């Protein structure tokens, strides 16, 4: 299925307002937005997936507790960038305070608020600028505020990430849209990064969670920028039901359509995150097919996407397929390396570089032409079954080192 | 135990000759040595540990088969650089041919020869230059040929790696020495890189293997340059018994002394490999103590040493301890992140940056002074037990990207 795409990001679905402002969490001469709010017209069913790092940002802990307390109901999101509010003694207190400030302004309960933060770990979050920003965020809330919000959650991202689609459930037109931020410390298990997805399609909390967990596994969790798993990874999916379809409460064709829409939104956001990975000059998409099971396909595709040597070779447009095979070889999965085929492709063409685990003759000139493009596809065929997975990543460049050699300053 | 160090590398122990020459495996205007030979005066007991990558270099396969056939007996090593002889249809044939050429020249059996290769994967190994080199290698063999051999196995290494010690077993003076090559595709499981260690201490084959496997786990396997696990990793330990000590055939005080000597040789070679990691400007040594068991200590120390974000921060002399805690947090082991202490040290001083999983106040000036040194120690205390492990690595720099952006050309 391929659904019609829409503008509007998190405001594409009916009943979602957003806003973003600069509040000064960190001194910033360009005064870029650093705090965002997202508010639904009605209470939403909500599902979440969070980082599996033992070090969890305080906002992750607080959001999980809130949704447990509210039974998966939420009406608002408050999120700041530039400070992760993680590893601070007063972290949970501050995250709770962000929820209280938002709840008071909206006349809802604090546990109906989702809170998220991204930025530097281990610096005390200043609450005063946030307190001052909440009334401004409230005032600016609008059904076209998605862009202001999407820019407010950016850290080292160079472009905002939004995507939205339209689909039909039970004869009703439904919409779903999302925003995401990257762009380093990206090797999810789960999500990586902050992701907020809204929909007006009515779905029960358990089915929302089921869809999100399933799709996260094959989208955000198949993304690797640098192999570092963030402490604040959060992916939220909110449904306000305003499309007025009969609520999806079980598996079936409607649930499948919903999941296909969710896949389209999340896969495209994942792709944008990879393409805007820190210092990236090239988007790398690795498709592993012919796998005996889905997990094997995922593990192999991710192993290649994560390899620093392979990533450097792609930066240098070097068809060093030995590094691809090497990364396949250390993937912790069960397959026969002597059956593996590898090919490289871009809009400039496609070439086979490895068949049955050994090199094949190919034109270096043709390979160079293919690899100098800025979107490269790597196809791996294990020739053992019918399962398939995609992993997304980017090249490893001088700029990645530059950005991360002195990120705090 | 801390043993007296010696010059002489693989020739430090009694009865080992070595040589190295340039044979032209790859066009090379500077004609650096690219093939080496190591020959013992008498038959040696031999142990080996090899890559666990599913893609195994042909020389790895052949060496394993040889030692199985000979019952752990070997008298010579032939090793080339610049071509890994991996993923080639005729790889095993060529590796066997290298053994035959060496065996014929020495009047021994092919299965008594160890063969190893390092370099580019997937390019056919030219056998003619090797055939021509064997007589030259034989002629040059000498008890002081260690340096010629140590330089012949270098690829992107900038310095040769040798280390040797003297110890006493059963009233006899024994010697042990080794050579190693790095310096990218380094994230062992096992060894990484090529490592050849010789000793005149008499040890039975099973005890030699036991010592090697045990010490590899806490030295080479605790080294990470880039997280890529090579296809050709090989670590060989040869004992010719010429020190005339009663052969070590069981555990006990003598075996412990032997292992301590082996640890000193291998830990120092590991440290040299880390310090000369591709593009490295800094040696990073991470010590995890207070672990409930050895595996937890190893997993945590390696997780930090592997983190690209942490490695970039060290390149930038940035005391971004949040990234250290983050990498500890995603280590797949069982411990309480809220107990963890972290400190940073170099010859310029030592500071605590994190206590009980949260940041502590420290002087950024002092931190900068410590981190601008070229050897940085990271101390992690899990405060849960008495086990301890060390992992070695290096910073991630522009030069790593440069070296690997176009390695083949």
């Amino acid at each position: 299925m391929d659904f019609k795409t829409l503008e509007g990001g998190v405001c594409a679905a009916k009943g979602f307002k957003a806003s973003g402002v600069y509040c000064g969490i960190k001194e910033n001469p360009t005064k870029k937005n650093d705090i965002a709010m997202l508010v639904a017209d009605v209470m939403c069913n909500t599902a979440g997936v969070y980082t599996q790092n033992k070090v969890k940002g305080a906002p992750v802990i607080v959001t999980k507790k809130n949704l447990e307390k509210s039974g998966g109901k939420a009406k608002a999101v408050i999120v700041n960038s530039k400070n992760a509010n993680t590893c601070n003694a007063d972290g949970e207190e501050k995250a709770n305070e962000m929820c209280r400030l938002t709840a008071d302004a909206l006349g809802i309960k604090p546990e109906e608020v989702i809170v998220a933060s991204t930025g530097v770990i281990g610096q005390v979050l200043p609450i005063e600028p946030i307190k001052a920003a909440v009334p401004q965020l409230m005032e600016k809330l609008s059904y076209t505020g998605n862009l202001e919000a999407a820019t407010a959650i950016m850290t080292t991202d160079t472009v905002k990430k939004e995507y939205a689609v339209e689909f039909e459930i039970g004869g009703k037109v439904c919409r779903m849209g999302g925003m995401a931020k990257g762009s380093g410390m990206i090797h999810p298990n789960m999500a990586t990064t902050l992701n907020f997805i809204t929909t007006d399609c009515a779905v029960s909390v358990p089915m929302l969670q089921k869809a999100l967990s399933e799709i996260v596994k094959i989208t955000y969790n198949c993304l690797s920028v640098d192999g570092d798993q963030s402490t604040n990874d959060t992916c939220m999916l909110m449904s306000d039901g305003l499309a007025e379809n009969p609520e999806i409460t079980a598996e079936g064709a409607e649930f499948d359509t919903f999941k296909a829409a969710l896949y389209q939104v999340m896969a495209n956001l994942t792709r944008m995150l990879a393409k805007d990975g820190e210092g990236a000059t090239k988007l790398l998409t690795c498709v592993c097919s012919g796998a005996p099971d889905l997990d094997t396909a995922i593990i192999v595709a991710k192993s290649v996407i994560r390899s620093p040597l392979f990533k450097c070779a792609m930066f240098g447009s070097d068809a060093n397929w030995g590094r691809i095979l090497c990364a396949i070889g250390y993937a912790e999965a069960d397959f026969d390396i002597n059956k593996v085929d590898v090919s490289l492709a871009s809009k400039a063409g496609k070439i086979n570089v490895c068949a049955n685990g050994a090199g094949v003759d190919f034109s270096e000139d043709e390979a160079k032409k293919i690899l100098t493009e800025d979107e490269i596809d790597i196809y791996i065929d294990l020739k053992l079954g019918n399962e398939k997975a995609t992993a997304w990543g980017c090249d490893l460049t001088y700029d990645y080192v530059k950005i991360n050699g002195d990120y705090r300053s």
Side-chain angles (χ1 to χ4, degrees), chain A residues 2 36 55 59 161 181 282 340 358 370:
Chain A
D2 208 16
V55 182
K161 285 100 181 167
K181 62 83 46 183
K282 287 177 189 180
V340 175
I370 289 168

Side-chain angles (χ1 to χ4, degrees), chain A residues 123-262:
Chain A
Q123 292 189 350
V124 173
L125 180 71
I127 199 73
E128 288 308 321
I130 296 174
K131 209 175 270 182
V134 167
Q136 298 172 48
L137 287 165
M138 288 293 295
E139 200 189 306
K140 283 202 161 188
L141 274 177
S142 122
Y143 293 119
T144 56
N146 55 290
L147 185 61
E148 291 292 323
T151 51
I153 62 172
M154 288 163 61
T155 51
T156 50
D157 302 69
T158 65
V159 293
K160 55 104 189 167
K161 285 100 181 167
E162 294 186 303
Y163 196 87
V165 293
E166 192 173 281
F167 54 105
E168 218 182 282
I169 299 276
K172 303 286 182 181
V173 172
C174 299
R175 295 189 168 97
M176 182 191 291
M179 64 179 184
K181 62 83 46 183
S183 69
M185 205 177 269
I186 298 199
H187 185 77
N189 188 17
M190 93 104 223
T192 280
T193 83
L194 301 183
N195 305 275
F196 303 97
I197 301 161
T198 56
T199 183
D200 45 26
C201 179
V203 186
S204 71
V205 173
M207 294 314 284
L208 215 51
Q209 185 67 50
K210 190 173 162 56
L212 184 63
S213 298
E214 227 171 275
I215 304 300
V216 157
K217 179 177 173 172
I218 55 172
T219 56
Y220 294 146
N221 275 2
C222 289
L223 165 67
S224 186
V225 166
D226 52 19
D228 270 303
Q229 185 194 140
S230 155
T231 55
N232 287 46
D233 292 342
T234 299
C235 183
M236 304 301 309
L237 173 57
M238 300 172 78
S239 148
D240 65 9
L242 294 184
E244 297 183 332
N245 60 300
E247 188 175 81
I248 298 174
T249 56
E251 304 214 24
E254 296 191 340
F255 185 62
D256 288 344
T257 302
F258 181 78
K259 282 198 298 183
L262 188 59

Side-chain angles (χ1 to χ4, degrees), chain A residues 348-371:
Chain A
K350 184 171 178 175
I351 43 160
N352 300 323
V353 290
C354 169
N356 299 316
V360 293
D361 276 336
F362 60 88
S363 152
E364 289 282 350
D365 286 348
E366 204 187 329
K368 201 87 185 172
K369 224 175 69 189
I370 289 168
L371 296 182

Side-chain angles (χ1 to χ4, degrees), chain A residues 382-395:
Chain A
L382 301 182
K383 299 193 293 195
L384 285 178
N386 296 311
E387 291 295 330
K388 187 174 163 174
T390 302
W392 295 267
C394 59
D395 54 345

Side-chain angles (χ1 to χ4, degrees), chain A residues 19-343:
Chain A
S19 61
V21 299
Y22 167 72
C23 75
I25 288 168
K26 196 176 170 188
E27 288 298 328
N28 181 347
T30 57
K31 297 200 187 308
K32 281 185 197 152
N33 285 358
D34 56 10
I35 190 158
M37 195 180 268
L38 177 61
V39 178
D41 290 348
V42 299
M43 196 58 68
C44 292
N45 287 343
T46 306
V49 184
Y50 313 90
T51 183
Q52 287 179 17
N53 196 312
K54 282 187 192 65
V55 182
K56 287 186 208 312
V60 171
I61 297 166
V62 168
T63 293
K64 281 171 94 166
K65 279 189 193 158
N66 283 355
L67 287 179
E68 272 164 34
K69 201 169 166 190
S70 73
K73 299 288 178 184
K75 200 166 184 273
V77 175
I78 184 158
V79 47
N80 72 276
S81 58
K82 304 215 169 68
N83 185 316
N85 190 21
T86 297
C87 301
N88 299 326
D90 65 353
E92 287 189 49
E93 191 187 308
K94 296 277 178 69
N96 277 317
E97 179 68 10
M98 286 173 72
C99 293
R100 262 195 306 274
L101 290 165
T102 310
D104 288 352
L106 291 164
I108 58 173
K109 294 177 194 154
E111 63 263 28
E112 291 162 354
V113 179
I114 288 158
V115 59
S117 300
T118 177
V120 180
I121 298 171
Q123 292 189 350
V124 173
L125 180 71
I127 199 73
E128 288 308 321
I130 296 174
K131 209 175 270 182
V134 167
Q136 298 172 48
L137 287 165
M138 288 293 295
E139 200 189 306
K140 283 202 161 188
L141 274 177
S142 122
Y143 293 119
T144 56
N146 55 290
L147 185 61
E148 291 292 323
T151 51
I153 62 172
M154 288 163 61
T155 51
T156 50
D157 302 69
T158 65
V159 293
K160 55 104 189 167
K161 285 100 181 167
E162 294 186 303
Y163 196 87
V165 293
E166 192 173 281
F167 54 105
E168 218 182 282
I169 299 276
K172 303 286 182 181
V173 172
C174 299
R175 295 189 168 97
M176 182 191 291
M179 64 179 184
K181 62 83 46 183
S183 69
M185 205 177 269
I186 298 199
H187 185 77
N189 188 17
M190 93 104 223
T192 280
T193 83
L194 301 183
N195 305 275
F196 303 97
I197 301 161
T198 56
T199 183
D200 45 26
C201 179
V203 186
S204 71
V205 173
M207 294 314 284
L208 215 51
Q209 185 67 50
K210 190 173 162 56
L212 184 63
S213 298
E214 227 171 275
I215 304 300
V216 157
K217 179 177 173 172
I218 55 172
T219 56
Y220 294 146
N221 275 2
C222 289
L223 165 67
S224 186
V225 166
D226 52 19
D228 270 303
Q229 185 194 140
S230 155
T231 55
N232 287 46
D233 292 342
T234 299
C235 183
M236 304 301 309
L237 173 57
M238 300 172 78
S239 148
D240 65 9
L242 294 184
E244 297 183 332
N245 60 300
E247 188 175 81
I248 298 174
T249 56
E251 304 214 24
E254 296 191 340
F255 185 62
D256 288 344
T257 302
F258 181 78
K259 282 198 298 183
L262 188 59
Y263 178 81
Q264 189 172 333
V265 170
M266 292 180 65
N268 277 284
L269 288 172
T270 300
R271 201 176 171 279
M272 290 179 204
L273 288 168
K275 187 158 188 177
D276 193 32
E278 284 179 340
T281 69
K282 287 177 189 180
L283 169 68
L284 308 176
T285 306
C286 181
V287 179
C288 175
S289 63
D293 53 75
L294 181 61
D295 285 345
T296 298
I298 291 174
I299 289 166
V300 169
K302 281 185 79 169
S303 187
V304 171
I305 280 296
R306 185 181 182 171
S307 158
L309 285 170
F310 164 66
K311 287 153 63 77
C312 284
M314 290 299 101
F315 175 53
S317 303
D318 177 15
N320 197 328
W321 61 270
R323 292 184 183 166
I324 301 175
L325 205 67
C326 174
I328 297 170
Y330 62 69
E332 289 183 7
D334 202 24
F335 55 89
D336 180 0
I337 194 75
N338 297 312
K339 283 194 169 191
V340 175
D341 292 353
V342 179
S343 56

